[in-house]
Amino acid sequence: MKKELLKKGVMVVSIITMVSPILMTGCSKDDEILSPAKQSIHKKSGGTGTDHGYFWTLYYEGGSASISFPNANTYAGNFAISYSGCNDVVGGKGWNPGSARIINYNIGALSGSYNFVGVYGWTTNPLIEYYVAEKGSMTGGTSFGTVSSDGHTYSCYKSQRVNAPSIIGTATFWQYKDTWGGAPTGSNQKITMSNHINNWKSKGGQGFGSYNYQVLAIEAWGGKSGYINATVW
């Protein structure tokens, strides 16, 4: 269900903006975040794309959802997603291809219900789907310990999807899922991806392939409604 959406490349709505590393620290929503009505002038439909040097994607099933980039001309990684009554919605902004980079982010606003906010990406050869949960959680499957990174201890899980939708079509593949889940809103944070990737390579047991896309994303399923305004750099 939830992860069978982004991969299909079906009906995606998205938009991108620019936000600088000093983004919303200590700022109120009114200081930095435009209302949905104001954001609507930036909305566009599509599947995936690039804007201001960033890759973006959004998919939703049921209900309604939109992504906009209200501060694109000021901060080079900002995006906002509103969703209502969605069976599943997943989207965000980042890079294609990904890498073992340090990902900086700021969750300026987050309201309503969601399952996951963090890094979401794929590799090929082998085909791997991976999550680093900064808020919410991605668990289930087999635990393979913990990894310490950026002052946090993440619980590490892996699970196999069999004949499931993926970026290359229906396939069998493994997921890696690291969960911390306690990130605050309104302050600059970072994720040192090399720590997670090196741990997946050494302890995950399923390999790690060539990078495909890698985004700071939100995912919500089960009829949830909510809003996020965040920036990645």
Side-chain angles (χ1 to χ4, degrees):
M1 297 180 295
K2 59 186 183 64
K3 292 175 282 297
E4 297 176 2
L5 310 167
L6 187 59
K7 302 142 195 159
K8 293 181 181 177
V10 191
M11 184 51 209
V12 181
V13 181
S14 10
I15 304 173
I16 282 190
T17 60
M18 294 216 145
V19 177
S20 81
I22 54 175
L23 180 63
M24 304 167 192
T25 306
C27 296
S28 71
K29 180 175 179 179
D30 290 338
D31 288 333
E32 291 291 344
I33 302 165
L34 300 183
S35 69
K38 291 179 180 177
Q39 293 167 13
S40 66
I41 62 173
H42 296 285
K43 292 176 183 176
K44 63 182 178 181
S45 298
T48 60
T50 58
D51 184 85
H52 292 89
Y54 283 88
F55 172 84
W56 57 260
T57 182
L58 177 70
Y59 175 87
Y60 70 95
E61 179 181 85
S64 62
S66 63
I67 182 168
S68 61
F69 307 91
N71 298 302
N73 293 328
T74 306
Y75 302 110
N78 179 248
F79 67 95
I81 296 174
S82 297
Y83 53 98
S84 178
C86 293
N87 296 333
D88 189 39
V89 56
V90 58
K93 188 174 181 181
W95 301 268
N96 192 3
S99 72
R101 60 171 47 87
I102 292 176
I103 295 177
N104 297 284
Y105 71 91
N106 186 304
I107 303 170
L110 182 64
S111 60
S113 301
Y114 62 92
N115 295 88
F116 158 85
V117 178
V119 174
Y120 174 73
W122 285 87
T123 72
T124 55
N125 298 315
L127 186 65
I128 299 287
E129 182 182 36
Y130 61 87
Y131 291 85
V132 179
E134 296 293 288
K135 293 190 76 66
S137 66
M138 292 300 296
T139 58
T142 302
S143 170
F144 59 101
T146 62
V147 63
S148 296
S149 184
D150 304 303
H152 316 301
T153 298
Y154 294 77
S155 299
C156 305
Y157 299 85
K158 65 178 181 179
S159 59
Q160 188 179 45
R161 300 290 306 277
V162 178
N163 295 326
S166 77
I167 56 170
I168 63 168
T170 301
T172 296
F173 55 89
W174 284 86
Q175 300 172 322
Y176 291 138
K177 297 170 284 189
D178 289 358
T179 292
W180 165 49
T185 58
S187 64
N188 294 343
Q189 304 292 318
K190 74 174 183 177
I191 304 166
T192 303
M193 286 302 299
S194 60
N195 293 337
H196 297 274
I197 292 165
N198 289 340
N199 188 61
W200 294 334
K201 288 179 177 179
S202 64
K203 297 181 181 178
Q206 310 305 324
F208 195 81
S210 300
Y211 294 99
N212 200 273
Y213 69 75
Q214 180 183 77
V215 295
L216 180 71
I218 185 169
E219 185 167 12
W221 60 88
K224 293 181 173 63
S225 300
Y227 173 83
I228 187 172
N229 185 304
T231 298
V232 64
W233 66 95

